[in-house]
Amino acid sequence: MIRHSLISTAIITALSSFSAHAALVTGQVFDNNKQPLSYADVHVHGKAQSIKTDENGRFSINIDANSQLHISKNNFVDARVQVTETSSALNITLVPTSVESVVVYASALHKNSLEMISPVSVLSGDELRNKAKPTLGETLKGLPGVNASYFGPVSSSPIIRGLDGPRVKITQNGLDSSDASRIGPDHATSNDSLAAEQIEVLRGPATLLYGSGAIGGVVNVVDNRIPTDNIEQLTGAVEYSHDTVSNANTYAAKLETGHNNFNFHFDGTKRTGDDYQTPRFNLPEEEHEDHEGHDEEEHETATSVKNTFIDSQTVNFGTSYVGEHLTLGVSYGRIETDYGIPAHSHEHEHGHDHEHEHDEGEEEAVYARVEQDRWQGLMSYALHNNWIETINLRLGYTDYRHAEIEDGAIGTIFSNETTEARLNIEHKLGNWHGMAGYHFSDSDYDADGEEAFTPASKTTTHALFILEEKQFGDVTLELGARIEDYNIDSNVGAAAHDHDHDHDHDHEDDHTYEHANEITPYSKSFTNLSASAGAIWQYTPGQSIALSVSHSERAPLSAELLSNGVHIATGTYELGLGYAIEDGEIHFEPENIKQETSTNIDFGFRRFSGDFGYTVNFFYNDIANFYYQQNTGLVFDEEHGLEAAEPGHDDGMAVYQFVSKDAKLYGIEFDAHYQLNSNAMVKVFGDSTTAKLADDEGYLPRIPANKLGSELQYNISDWQFSLTGTHYFEQRDITAYETATDSYTLFDAQANYQLSVGPVDTQFYINVDNITDELGFVHSSFIKDEAPLPGRNFRIGLRGYF
């Protein structure tokens, strides 16, 4: 009812509103030396209409009453100018910036990266193309405050400020990616960084617009699959690259064209690669003794990580109509990917068919087959009346399927069918500019097979949100709030191992058999409240201070609440918050489940003018009822059920259970740059995160190591060079069941050459990753000892634009 009421109100307002007569506004754009700026973009806020200044920096554009002009140009800070029907002969000065200014689509209020109150990083253009990897985690891990979970190079998700999984929302054009990557680290994200226009990383809570799943941050992949600007001619791009470390070949293509306000988009990628090579390392060995009682000391070594191949193809089509006020569009995308799952072996299945066990060292080939169909729709209408500016509706439908293949047969299938809608109404109320809206999401998750450790569930959310900003001189104030109704439904089976493991388990024991197959309907609702307040002070041109405080609430996902089974990918038996262990038996007792509540403070200093610039952010996050997996000290196998772990015995899988305890996370992230001369720039970046339980109960598990890096960029003629060194410090802030991780340093180099081949703008490039062939282990990885980082890699590629 709320949703229908909002939509009806918006439509009635649109139909009954009126716009003032169009007026012609003229002006001229200058730099800070009063020199005209040619080819600067001049855009009417909220409309598709935009033009460029001429060679003398002059422009003329039609506007409606009380409009806003957005003026932008590379290497300059964007300007926003309020105009009316009587505005004319505008003189606009753009301030040069030492960093690129990019509009952040995830901000909702059309802010660029320099105007954001919350810390944000944006990869776009050639920088994104040069750093793009098959996974988001590997693409983004060099940014300050961002690391990767790393389950091999084909399954690696972003970690933001020590938070990952369900606390980091991964979106495509503002809508949830709707895959199964939040369920387990071996499940790859379905977002393709190779075809993205830009990737935005919002650090800190972004729950107001994106829901309780964004308690740690948002990664938004932006593409142009639904064009929002009119395309006047045929344009396109093609690319080929080869990676030596995995013998991988990547092909990508994009085509766009338009006519009479109708626009069309196509893009596709294909990537194939073998197991990746590493420096020689010792394979982990389980503790065992020989027949004489002496420890065996021989270590098996390897120079590659088995079962890390990839075979992936994506294709996307989109079309749109872009009028003066109305934009309508739709897109369809298809993903088909096979990728190996390292350390995912059925070499020994506890208690099953011992006579059929594999010979020592032999493993079954296990890989994932991902298929996804994704539809997105967009409707945007710009009114420009007295208080409503734009009505924007985004719709998404995703049908995702993740099958795990064992010896050519499907072992387990994870599926997720998601419908999502987001209605935004951009408005002005007095001197306040803001966004109000409604957000709906329905996710139908299912798992079937021997590794279906989480039961099928349906999760539905309805939310209302509002975000408002007002400018007081050089200070911009931003306030926001969100209320979200979150409901999860499932049929929970009683623990199949909930029995007395001292007696036989045949089916003649009717009582035991019925108990093991008992189904309990389960439904739980939560009301999540989020609020934020922040301000940014531009105390002098090109320099600012930002402060934000936020309160966010998050309900548990089905995996955190209802897991109960063997997760072979991580080599553990997982239990959710809803279970209790008593006398070696597992019971479903989902009482007193409390929401995870975060209070976050962000404080940042920024300078982006002149030859020297920097961004420094301090953060403190106090989280009540933090959900995490804790080692219970028990092990599980099919024959004996649950029992205490004993030193020297490796039978059974360690039992990890989700628990909720208070935690604190705090740290610093920074990047600074200095323009040495017109050809050379040096950068320094780094981050540090401390994550521990309250009351000195110890550290949280798998927190990324601190890092410190530097990059030198040098341009000469048609050549562009860069050299980057990143040191990852040792990580010894660990839990009782973790091992420390040694430090390592990675050096990467890159060279690009620009050339013209007829009408095609061509770029040849060569990247050398891990120049010194350093052996590095990722502390945040579940399989760090079995999957070190790749060794030295030469990536050679060619791009063409027309």
Side-chain angles (χ1 to χ4, degrees), residues 170 176-183 188-191 372 398 400 416:
I170 298 178
D176 198 308
S177 59
S178 303
D179 51 37
S181 62
R182 310 297 89 188
I183 301 298
T189 63
S190 60
N191 302 87
Q372 177 177 284
T398 303
Y400 171 91
N416 193 20

Side-chain angles (χ1 to χ4, degrees), residues 10 166 180 199 215 586 600 663 727 781 801:
I199 301 178
I215 200 169
I586 300 170
N600 186 84
H727 179 73
S781 173
Y801 306 90

Side-chain angles (χ1 to χ4, degrees), residues 64-107:
D64 294 328
N66 301 321
S67 296
Q68 183 188 79
L69 295 184
H70 181 193
I71 301 94
S72 61
K73 185 175 174 63
N74 288 344
N75 301 318
F76 289 86
V77 181
D78 293 10
R80 299 179 186 273
V81 180
Q82 299 295 331
V83 291
T84 66
E85 294 176 285
T86 59
S87 300
S88 62
L90 299 173
N91 289 324
I92 302 166
T93 300
L94 297 185
V95 178
T97 176
S98 54
V99 294
E100 185 179 9
S101 174
V102 181
V103 174
V104 180
Y105 292 91
S107 69

